[in-house]
Amino acid sequence: MNSSRPVEVDRYIQRLDAALADVPPHTADEIRQGIIEELSSLDPEAARERIKQLGDPEFIAAEARGGADEASLQRRSALESRPYIVVASLAVGVGIYVVPILGAVAGFIMVWVSTAWRRWEKVVATLTPLLAGLFTATFFVLTRIPSGDGLNSVVPGYGLSGDEFGGPWYALYFTPVVTANALFVVSIANLAVGTWLLIRALRRS
């Protein structure tokens, strides 16, 4: 309590603090500081008159909550708009071709922060390319690498048997091949997922 202010001002600020308890902190601080600065600059009589004009702190808090809710609705509406849906879906579908890896990641982030898609749709969209890439890499390793397919054509006379299996050429050759195949399948899966997301969201918009 500030002894230089009228008692009515301190009581009003206390009531205001209680009323603003459930208002977003940034908004509540701005309102509180603005009122304190205004009342503190007035003489006691003018401060009492201004308090009457300001009205019940609960009314001020209700107005603040309404403004915060409106801003939240505007942000949510923007994230559900048709242009946003199209951009997010395109980023998922073809982002990997524009900016390798990061383009698709940006698209999936846009999908997750939006309410245009249901949670299960987001989960399916995210897991489908990952599982497709993992399956491709596993299939390639299990079916191609043990037999040494393609390696002898790159390094003549080099086999994959006995102590030589898993040698340096093995890693140097097959790691980029497996990665390239997995990324190719992921890019195709992303294109399918992006199209699916676009159709699902636009049907509800």
mmCIF file of all heavy atoms in Angstrom, residues 72-117:
data_model
loop_
_atom_site.group_PDB
_atom_site.id
_atom_site.type_symbol
_atom_site.label_atom_id
_atom_site.label_comp_id
_atom_site.label_asym_id
_atom_site.label_seq_id
_atom_site.Cartn_x
_atom_site.Cartn_y
_atom_site.Cartn_z
ATOM 1 N N SER A 72 -7.766 -14.314 -29.349
ATOM 2 C CA SER A 72 -7.511 -15.749 -29.489
ATOM 3 C C SER A 72 -8.341 -16.340 -30.616
ATOM 4 O O SER A 72 -7.857 -17.164 -31.397
ATOM 5 C CB SER A 72 -7.830 -16.463 -28.171
ATOM 6 O OG SER A 72 -7.653 -17.853 -28.288
ATOM 7 N N LEU A 73 -9.602 -15.910 -30.730
ATOM 8 C CA LEU A 73 -10.468 -16.405 -31.789
ATOM 9 C C LEU A 73 -9.964 -15.964 -33.161
ATOM 10 O O LEU A 73 -10.044 -16.720 -34.129
ATOM 11 C CB LEU A 73 -11.896 -15.896 -31.579
ATOM 12 C CG LEU A 73 -12.682 -16.543 -30.432
ATOM 13 C CD1 LEU A 73 -14.012 -15.821 -30.236
ATOM 14 C CD2 LEU A 73 -12.923 -18.027 -30.718
ATOM 15 N N GLN A 74 -9.437 -14.757 -33.241
ATOM 16 C CA GLN A 74 -8.906 -14.265 -34.506
ATOM 17 C C GLN A 74 -7.697 -15.081 -34.944
ATOM 18 O O GLN A 74 -7.556 -15.423 -36.119
ATOM 19 C CB GLN A 74 -8.535 -12.786 -34.388
ATOM 20 C CG GLN A 74 -9.738 -11.864 -34.276
ATOM 21 C CD GLN A 74 -9.339 -10.419 -34.053
ATOM 22 O OE1 GLN A 74 -8.183 -10.113 -33.785
ATOM 23 N NE2 GLN A 74 -10.303 -9.518 -34.185
ATOM 24 N N ARG A 75 -6.798 -15.396 -33.966
ATOM 25 C CA ARG A 75 -5.632 -16.220 -34.292
ATOM 26 C C ARG A 75 -6.068 -17.611 -34.728
ATOM 27 O O ARG A 75 -5.547 -18.169 -35.690
ATOM 28 C CB ARG A 75 -4.693 -16.291 -33.093
ATOM 29 C CG ARG A 75 -3.934 -15.002 -32.811
ATOM 30 C CD ARG A 75 -2.800 -15.249 -31.832
ATOM 31 N NE ARG A 75 -3.296 -15.696 -30.538
ATOM 32 C CZ ARG A 75 -3.608 -14.878 -29.540
ATOM 33 N NH1 ARG A 75 -3.498 -13.569 -29.699
ATOM 34 N NH2 ARG A 75 -4.033 -15.352 -28.382
ATOM 35 N N ARG A 76 -7.035 -18.174 -33.995
ATOM 36 C CA ARG A 76 -7.512 -19.510 -34.333
ATOM 37 C C ARG A 76 -8.160 -19.519 -35.711
ATOM 38 O O ARG A 76 -7.999 -20.447 -36.492
ATOM 39 C CB ARG A 76 -8.515 -19.977 -33.274
ATOM 40 C CG ARG A 76 -8.815 -21.464 -33.375
ATOM 41 C CD ARG A 76 -9.906 -21.888 -32.436
ATOM 42 N NE ARG A 76 -9.880 -21.199 -31.154
ATOM 43 C CZ ARG A 76 -10.823 -21.345 -30.238
ATOM 44 N NH1 ARG A 76 -11.854 -22.145 -30.470
ATOM 45 N NH2 ARG A 76 -10.742 -20.702 -29.100
ATOM 46 N N SER A 77 -8.915 -18.457 -36.011
ATOM 47 C CA SER A 77 -9.571 -18.364 -37.308
ATOM 48 C C SER A 77 -8.550 -18.312 -38.435
ATOM 49 O O SER A 77 -8.739 -18.924 -39.487
ATOM 50 C CB SER A 77 -10.463 -17.125 -37.348
ATOM 51 O OG SER A 77 -11.055 -16.976 -38.610
ATOM 52 N N ALA A 78 -7.462 -17.584 -38.216
ATOM 53 C CA ALA A 78 -6.414 -17.499 -39.238
ATOM 54 C C ALA A 78 -5.785 -18.860 -39.493
ATOM 55 O O ALA A 78 -5.450 -19.201 -40.633
ATOM 56 C CB ALA A 78 -5.348 -16.498 -38.804
ATOM 57 N N LEU A 79 -5.632 -19.656 -38.431
ATOM 58 C CA LEU A 79 -5.024 -20.976 -38.571
ATOM 59 C C LEU A 79 -5.991 -22.001 -39.156
ATOM 60 O O LEU A 79 -5.590 -23.132 -39.438
ATOM 61 C CB LEU A 79 -4.528 -21.476 -37.204
ATOM 62 C CG LEU A 79 -3.399 -20.670 -36.575
ATOM 63 C CD1 LEU A 79 -3.041 -21.229 -35.198
ATOM 64 C CD2 LEU A 79 -2.172 -20.674 -37.471
ATOM 65 N N GLU A 80 -7.252 -21.613 -39.323
ATOM 66 C CA GLU A 80 -8.243 -22.507 -39.924
ATOM 67 C C GLU A 80 -8.682 -22.023 -41.303
ATOM 68 O O GLU A 80 -9.542 -22.642 -41.925
ATOM 69 C CB GLU A 80 -9.486 -22.606 -39.020
ATOM 70 C CG GLU A 80 -9.230 -23.290 -37.692
ATOM 71 C CD GLU A 80 -10.470 -23.281 -36.804
ATOM 72 O OE1 GLU A 80 -11.434 -22.573 -37.148
ATOM 73 O OE2 GLU A 80 -10.468 -23.980 -35.780
ATOM 74 N N SER A 81 -8.111 -20.923 -41.763
ATOM 75 C CA SER A 81 -8.537 -20.341 -43.038
ATOM 76 C C SER A 81 -8.109 -21.235 -44.208
ATOM 77 O O SER A 81 -7.149 -22.009 -44.113
ATOM 78 C CB SER A 81 -7.933 -18.943 -43.205
ATOM 79 O OG SER A 81 -6.522 -19.016 -43.302
ATOM 80 N N ARG A 82 -8.815 -21.103 -45.311
ATOM 81 C CA ARG A 82 -8.503 -21.905 -46.496
ATOM 82 C C ARG A 82 -7.090 -21.626 -47.031
ATOM 83 O O ARG A 82 -6.379 -22.576 -47.391
ATOM 84 C CB ARG A 82 -9.554 -21.659 -47.580
ATOM 85 C CG ARG A 82 -10.942 -22.170 -47.199
ATOM 86 C CD ARG A 82 -11.976 -21.811 -48.247
ATOM 87 N NE ARG A 82 -11.817 -22.598 -49.448
ATOM 88 C CZ ARG A 82 -12.400 -23.775 -49.661
ATOM 89 N NH1 ARG A 82 -13.174 -24.298 -48.733
ATOM 90 N NH2 ARG A 82 -12.215 -24.426 -50.780
ATOM 91 N N PRO A 83 -6.641 -20.346 -47.096
ATOM 92 C CA PRO A 83 -5.261 -20.119 -47.547
ATOM 93 C C PRO A 83 -4.230 -20.822 -46.656
ATOM 94 O O PRO A 83 -3.247 -21.385 -47.164
ATOM 95 C CB PRO A 83 -5.114 -18.591 -47.470
ATOM 96 C CG PRO A 83 -6.503 -18.079 -47.624
ATOM 97 C CD PRO A 83 -7.367 -19.073 -46.912
ATOM 98 N N TYR A 84 -4.457 -20.775 -45.335
ATOM 99 C CA TYR A 84 -3.515 -21.441 -44.425
ATOM 100 C C TYR A 84 -3.511 -22.947 -44.674
ATOM 101 O O TYR A 84 -2.450 -23.587 -44.695
ATOM 102 C CB TYR A 84 -3.893 -21.146 -42.976
ATOM 103 C CG TYR A 84 -2.908 -21.707 -41.971
ATOM 104 C CD1 TYR A 84 -1.863 -20.928 -41.485
ATOM 105 C CD2 TYR A 84 -3.010 -23.022 -41.525
ATOM 106 C CE1 TYR A 84 -0.943 -21.445 -40.581
ATOM 107 C CE2 TYR A 84 -2.099 -23.546 -40.620
ATOM 108 C CZ TYR A 84 -1.071 -22.758 -40.141
ATOM 109 O OH TYR A 84 -0.164 -23.291 -39.252
ATOM 110 N N ILE A 85 -4.705 -23.528 -44.842
ATOM 111 C CA ILE A 85 -4.815 -24.968 -45.081
ATOM 112 C C ILE A 85 -4.057 -25.361 -46.346
ATOM 113 O O ILE A 85 -3.322 -26.354 -46.373
ATOM 114 C CB ILE A 85 -6.301 -25.373 -45.197
ATOM 115 C CG1 ILE A 85 -6.982 -25.266 -43.823
ATOM 116 C CG2 ILE A 85 -6.436 -26.788 -45.752
ATOM 117 C CD1 ILE A 85 -8.486 -25.442 -43.879
ATOM 118 N N VAL A 86 -4.221 -24.569 -47.396
ATOM 119 C CA VAL A 86 -3.556 -24.870 -48.673
ATOM 120 C C VAL A 86 -2.039 -24.786 -48.519
ATOM 121 O O VAL A 86 -1.302 -25.678 -48.967
ATOM 122 C CB VAL A 86 -4.040 -23.900 -49.770
ATOM 123 C CG1 VAL A 86 -3.209 -24.065 -51.043
ATOM 124 C CG2 VAL A 86 -5.510 -24.145 -50.072
ATOM 125 N N VAL A 87 -1.557 -23.720 -47.882
ATOM 126 C CA VAL A 87 -0.108 -23.537 -47.720
ATOM 127 C C VAL A 87 0.487 -24.657 -46.865
ATOM 128 O O VAL A 87 1.533 -25.225 -47.207
ATOM 129 C CB VAL A 87 0.197 -22.159 -47.096
ATOM 130 C CG1 VAL A 87 1.678 -22.060 -46.733
ATOM 131 C CG2 VAL A 87 -0.177 -21.048 -48.056
ATOM 132 N N ALA A 88 -0.169 -24.983 -45.752
ATOM 133 C CA ALA A 88 0.341 -26.043 -44.872
ATOM 134 C C ALA A 88 0.364 -27.384 -45.585
ATOM 135 O O ALA A 88 1.339 -28.140 -45.483
ATOM 136 C CB ALA A 88 -0.518 -26.124 -43.611
ATOM 137 N N SER A 89 -0.696 -27.687 -46.322
ATOM 138 C CA SER A 89 -0.760 -28.966 -47.040
ATOM 139 C C SER A 89 0.294 -29.040 -48.129
ATOM 140 O O SER A 89 0.931 -30.091 -48.329
ATOM 141 C CB SER A 89 -2.160 -29.159 -47.642
ATOM 142 O OG SER A 89 -3.150 -29.160 -46.639
ATOM 143 N N LEU A 90 0.496 -27.938 -48.844
ATOM 144 C CA LEU A 90 1.525 -27.910 -49.885
ATOM 145 C C LEU A 90 2.923 -28.063 -49.279
ATOM 146 O O LEU A 90 3.788 -28.735 -49.855
ATOM 147 C CB LEU A 90 1.441 -26.602 -50.673
ATOM 148 C CG LEU A 90 0.284 -26.484 -51.668
ATOM 149 C CD1 LEU A 90 0.270 -25.097 -52.301
ATOM 150 C CD2 LEU A 90 0.395 -27.552 -52.750
ATOM 151 N N ALA A 91 3.138 -27.440 -48.121
ATOM 152 C CA ALA A 91 4.446 -27.561 -47.458
ATOM 153 C C ALA A 91 4.718 -29.009 -47.076
ATOM 154 O O ALA A 91 5.854 -29.497 -47.209
ATOM 155 C CB ALA A 91 4.493 -26.663 -46.223
ATOM 156 N N VAL A 92 3.683 -29.694 -46.597
ATOM 157 C CA VAL A 92 3.848 -31.116 -46.269
ATOM 158 C C VAL A 92 4.118 -31.927 -47.528
ATOM 159 O O VAL A 92 5.002 -32.785 -47.564
ATOM 160 C CB VAL A 92 2.591 -31.653 -45.558
ATOM 161 C CG1 VAL A 92 2.646 -33.185 -45.448
ATOM 162 C CG2 VAL A 92 2.466 -31.051 -44.169
ATOM 163 N N GLY A 93 3.341 -31.662 -48.581
ATOM 164 C CA GLY A 93 3.432 -32.474 -49.784
ATOM 165 C C GLY A 93 4.678 -32.250 -50.617
ATOM 166 O O GLY A 93 5.297 -33.222 -51.075
ATOM 167 N N VAL A 94 5.063 -30.994 -50.826
ATOM 168 C CA VAL A 94 6.185 -30.708 -51.731
ATOM 169 C C VAL A 94 7.309 -29.934 -51.061
ATOM 170 O O VAL A 94 8.292 -29.580 -51.725
ATOM 171 C CB VAL A 94 5.689 -29.936 -52.974
ATOM 172 C CG1 VAL A 94 4.665 -30.755 -53.733
ATOM 173 C CG2 VAL A 94 5.107 -28.576 -52.586
ATOM 174 N N GLY A 95 7.167 -29.663 -49.759
ATOM 175 C CA GLY A 95 8.205 -28.902 -49.064
ATOM 176 C C GLY A 95 9.559 -29.567 -49.106
ATOM 177 O O GLY A 95 10.595 -28.899 -49.170
ATOM 178 N N ILE A 96 9.563 -30.899 -49.107
ATOM 179 C CA ILE A 96 10.830 -31.634 -49.108
ATOM 180 C C ILE A 96 11.590 -31.421 -50.414
ATOM 181 O O ILE A 96 12.806 -31.554 -50.471
ATOM 182 C CB ILE A 96 10.572 -33.135 -48.867
ATOM 183 C CG1 ILE A 96 11.877 -33.858 -48.517
ATOM 184 C CG2 ILE A 96 9.910 -33.786 -50.078
ATOM 185 C CD1 ILE A 96 11.663 -35.280 -48.049
ATOM 186 N N TYR A 97 10.865 -31.075 -51.503
ATOM 187 C CA TYR A 97 11.515 -30.818 -52.785
ATOM 188 C C TYR A 97 12.044 -29.387 -52.862
ATOM 189 O O TYR A 97 12.995 -29.113 -53.601
ATOM 190 C CB TYR A 97 10.525 -31.031 -53.932
ATOM 191 C CG TYR A 97 9.953 -32.425 -54.003
ATOM 192 C CD1 TYR A 97 8.625 -32.672 -53.653
ATOM 193 C CD2 TYR A 97 10.735 -33.501 -54.418
ATOM 194 C CE1 TYR A 97 8.090 -33.954 -53.716
ATOM 195 C CE2 TYR A 97 10.212 -34.787 -54.478
ATOM 196 C CZ TYR A 97 8.891 -35.005 -54.125
ATOM 197 O OH TYR A 97 8.365 -36.271 -54.184
ATOM 198 N N VAL A 98 11.406 -28.485 -52.132
ATOM 199 C CA VAL A 98 11.817 -27.074 -52.154
ATOM 200 C C VAL A 98 13.008 -26.850 -51.235
ATOM 201 O O VAL A 98 14.038 -26.303 -51.653
ATOM 202 C CB VAL A 98 10.645 -26.162 -51.742
ATOM 203 C CG1 VAL A 98 11.083 -24.694 -51.741
ATOM 204 C CG2 VAL A 98 9.454 -26.369 -52.670
ATOM 205 N N VAL A 99 12.859 -27.254 -49.974
ATOM 206 C CA VAL A 99 13.955 -27.187 -48.999
ATOM 207 C C VAL A 99 14.078 -28.579 -48.389
ATOM 208 O O VAL A 99 13.253 -28.949 -47.550
ATOM 209 C CB VAL A 99 13.691 -26.146 -47.891
ATOM 210 C CG1 VAL A 99 14.868 -26.090 -46.923
ATOM 211 C CG2 VAL A 99 13.408 -24.785 -48.482
ATOM 212 N N PRO A 100 15.059 -29.366 -48.828
ATOM 213 C CA PRO A 100 15.165 -30.752 -48.370
ATOM 214 C C PRO A 100 15.020 -30.893 -46.852
ATOM 215 O O PRO A 100 15.644 -30.160 -46.090
ATOM 216 C CB PRO A 100 16.571 -31.158 -48.834
ATOM 217 C CG PRO A 100 16.798 -30.317 -50.046
ATOM 218 C CD PRO A 100 16.133 -29.003 -49.748
ATOM 219 N N ILE A 101 14.176 -31.816 -46.447
ATOM 220 C CA ILE A 101 13.886 -32.153 -45.060
ATOM 221 C C ILE A 101 13.166 -31.007 -44.346
ATOM 222 O O ILE A 101 12.039 -31.161 -43.863
ATOM 223 C CB ILE A 101 15.161 -32.536 -44.267
ATOM 224 C CG1 ILE A 101 15.927 -33.630 -45.010
ATOM 225 C CG2 ILE A 101 14.794 -32.980 -42.856
ATOM 226 C CD1 ILE A 101 15.170 -34.912 -45.182
ATOM 227 N N LEU A 102 13.808 -29.832 -44.263
ATOM 228 C CA LEU A 102 13.253 -28.718 -43.479
ATOM 229 C C LEU A 102 11.922 -28.226 -44.038
ATOM 230 O O LEU A 102 11.054 -27.777 -43.279
ATOM 231 C CB LEU A 102 14.254 -27.568 -43.419
ATOM 232 C CG LEU A 102 15.560 -27.854 -42.675
ATOM 233 C CD1 LEU A 102 16.467 -26.632 -42.691
ATOM 234 C CD2 LEU A 102 15.274 -28.276 -41.238
ATOM 235 N N GLY A 103 11.752 -28.284 -45.345
ATOM 236 C CA GLY A 103 10.497 -27.840 -45.933
ATOM 237 C C GLY A 103 9.321 -28.663 -45.445
ATOM 238 O O GLY A 103 8.270 -28.131 -45.088
ATOM 239 N N ALA A 104 9.519 -29.982 -45.414
ATOM 240 C CA ALA A 104 8.459 -30.866 -44.922
ATOM 241 C C ALA A 104 8.240 -30.684 -43.427
ATOM 242 O O ALA A 104 7.105 -30.698 -42.943
ATOM 243 C CB ALA A 104 8.802 -32.321 -45.234
ATOM 244 N N VAL A 105 9.327 -30.524 -42.676
ATOM 245 C CA VAL A 105 9.218 -30.320 -41.228
ATOM 246 C C VAL A 105 8.390 -29.068 -40.941
ATOM 247 O O VAL A 105 7.517 -29.067 -40.065
ATOM 248 C CB VAL A 105 10.613 -30.199 -40.586
ATOM 249 C CG1 VAL A 105 10.499 -29.763 -39.128
ATOM 250 C CG2 VAL A 105 11.352 -31.528 -40.673
ATOM 251 N N ALA A 106 8.647 -27.994 -41.680
ATOM 252 C CA ALA A 106 7.877 -26.758 -41.501
ATOM 253 C C ALA A 106 6.397 -27.002 -41.783
ATOM 254 O O ALA A 106 5.524 -26.482 -41.081
ATOM 255 C CB ALA A 106 8.419 -25.663 -42.412
ATOM 256 N N GLY A 107 6.118 -27.798 -42.808
ATOM 257 C CA GLY A 107 4.734 -28.106 -43.128
ATOM 258 C C GLY A 107 4.031 -28.857 -42.019
ATOM 259 O O GLY A 107 2.889 -28.535 -41.658
ATOM 260 N N PHE A 108 4.707 -29.843 -41.447
ATOM 261 C CA PHE A 108 4.093 -30.615 -40.362
ATOM 262 C C PHE A 108 3.890 -29.751 -39.115
ATOM 263 O O PHE A 108 2.909 -29.923 -38.385
ATOM 264 C CB PHE A 108 4.944 -31.846 -40.034
ATOM 265 C CG PHE A 108 4.773 -32.971 -41.010
ATOM 266 C CD1 PHE A 108 5.775 -33.297 -41.904
ATOM 267 C CD2 PHE A 108 3.596 -33.690 -41.042
ATOM 268 C CE1 PHE A 108 5.607 -34.328 -42.817
ATOM 269 C CE2 PHE A 108 3.413 -34.725 -41.942
ATOM 270 C CZ PHE A 108 4.429 -35.044 -42.841
ATOM 271 N N ILE A 109 4.805 -28.825 -38.854
ATOM 272 C CA ILE A 109 4.627 -27.907 -37.723
ATOM 273 C C ILE A 109 3.384 -27.047 -37.950
ATOM 274 O O ILE A 109 2.585 -26.826 -37.026
ATOM 275 C CB ILE A 109 5.873 -27.022 -37.543
ATOM 276 C CG1 ILE A 109 7.059 -27.871 -37.066
ATOM 277 C CG2 ILE A 109 5.600 -25.899 -36.538
ATOM 278 C CD1 ILE A 109 8.364 -27.119 -36.982
ATOM 279 N N MET A 110 3.204 -26.565 -39.173
ATOM 280 C CA MET A 110 2.023 -25.757 -39.492
ATOM 281 C C MET A 110 0.743 -26.565 -39.276
ATOM 282 O O MET A 110 -0.264 -26.036 -38.792
ATOM 283 C CB MET A 110 2.101 -25.267 -40.936
ATOM 284 C CG MET A 110 3.183 -24.244 -41.199
ATOM 285 S SD MET A 110 3.244 -23.724 -42.940
ATOM 286 C CE MET A 110 1.695 -22.798 -43.069
ATOM 287 N N VAL A 111 0.787 -27.833 -39.631
ATOM 288 C CA VAL A 111 -0.387 -28.691 -39.438
ATOM 289 C C VAL A 111 -0.683 -28.881 -37.959
ATOM 290 O O VAL A 111 -1.831 -28.793 -37.515
ATOM 291 C CB VAL A 111 -0.170 -30.051 -40.129
ATOM 292 C CG1 VAL A 111 -1.236 -31.066 -39.686
ATOM 293 C CG2 VAL A 111 -0.189 -29.896 -41.642
ATOM 294 N N TRP A 112 0.347 -29.118 -37.168
ATOM 295 C CA TRP A 112 0.135 -29.403 -35.735
ATOM 296 C C TRP A 112 -0.368 -28.195 -34.961
ATOM 297 O O TRP A 112 -1.100 -28.343 -33.985
ATOM 298 C CB TRP A 112 1.422 -29.940 -35.107
ATOM 299 C CG TRP A 112 1.553 -31.426 -35.283
ATOM 300 C CD1 TRP A 112 2.244 -32.090 -36.252
ATOM 301 C CD2 TRP A 112 0.939 -32.436 -34.476
ATOM 302 N NE1 TRP A 112 2.105 -33.453 -36.096
ATOM 303 C CE2 TRP A 112 1.317 -33.696 -35.013
ATOM 304 C CE3 TRP A 112 0.116 -32.406 -33.354
ATOM 305 C CZ2 TRP A 112 0.879 -34.904 -34.461
ATOM 306 C CZ3 TRP A 112 -0.306 -33.608 -32.806
ATOM 307 C CH2 TRP A 112 0.078 -34.834 -33.351
ATOM 308 N N VAL A 113 0.024 -26.982 -35.348
ATOM 309 C CA VAL A 113 -0.427 -25.798 -34.598
ATOM 310 C C VAL A 113 -1.828 -25.353 -35.029
ATOM 311 O O VAL A 113 -2.435 -24.502 -34.379
ATOM 312 C CB VAL A 113 0.554 -24.616 -34.754
ATOM 313 C CG1 VAL A 113 1.938 -24.984 -34.255
ATOM 314 C CG2 VAL A 113 0.640 -24.147 -36.211
ATOM 315 N N SER A 114 -2.327 -25.908 -36.114
ATOM 316 C CA SER A 114 -3.647 -25.528 -36.603
ATOM 317 C C SER A 114 -4.727 -26.425 -36.021
ATOM 318 O O SER A 114 -4.487 -27.583 -35.695
ATOM 319 C CB SER A 114 -3.673 -25.619 -38.135
ATOM 320 O OG SER A 114 -4.987 -25.391 -38.627
ATOM 321 N N THR A 115 -5.929 -25.865 -35.908
ATOM 322 C CA THR A 115 -7.074 -26.643 -35.446
ATOM 323 C C THR A 115 -7.935 -27.096 -36.625
ATOM 324 O O THR A 115 -9.048 -27.581 -36.433
ATOM 325 C CB THR A 115 -7.930 -25.799 -34.483
ATOM 326 O OG1 THR A 115 -8.272 -24.549 -35.126
ATOM 327 C CG2 THR A 115 -7.181 -25.509 -33.195
ATOM 328 N N ALA A 116 -7.412 -26.933 -37.836
ATOM 329 C CA ALA A 116 -8.160 -27.347 -39.022
ATOM 330 C C ALA A 116 -8.192 -28.863 -39.162
ATOM 331 O O ALA A 116 -9.041 -29.400 -39.882
ATOM 332 C CB ALA A 116 -7.553 -26.719 -40.276
ATOM 333 N N TRP A 117 -7.264 -29.535 -38.487
ATOM 334 C CA TRP A 117 -7.208 -30.990 -38.552
ATOM 335 C C TRP A 117 -7.402 -31.581 -37.165
ATOM 336 O O TRP A 117 -6.986 -31.001 -36.160
ATOM 337 C CB TRP A 117 -5.868 -31.456 -39.115
ATOM 338 C CG TRP A 117 -5.666 -31.103 -40.537
ATOM 339 C CD1 TRP A 117 -6.098 -31.792 -41.640
ATOM 340 C CD2 TRP A 117 -4.977 -29.953 -41.064
ATOM 341 N NE1 TRP A 117 -5.727 -31.147 -42.793
ATOM 342 C CE2 TRP A 117 -5.034 -30.030 -42.472
ATOM 343 C CE3 TRP A 117 -4.306 -28.874 -40.468
ATOM 344 C CZ2 TRP A 117 -4.462 -29.055 -43.299
ATOM 345 C CZ3 TRP A 117 -3.740 -27.929 -41.281
ATOM 346 C CH2 TRP A 117 -3.814 -28.018 -42.681
#
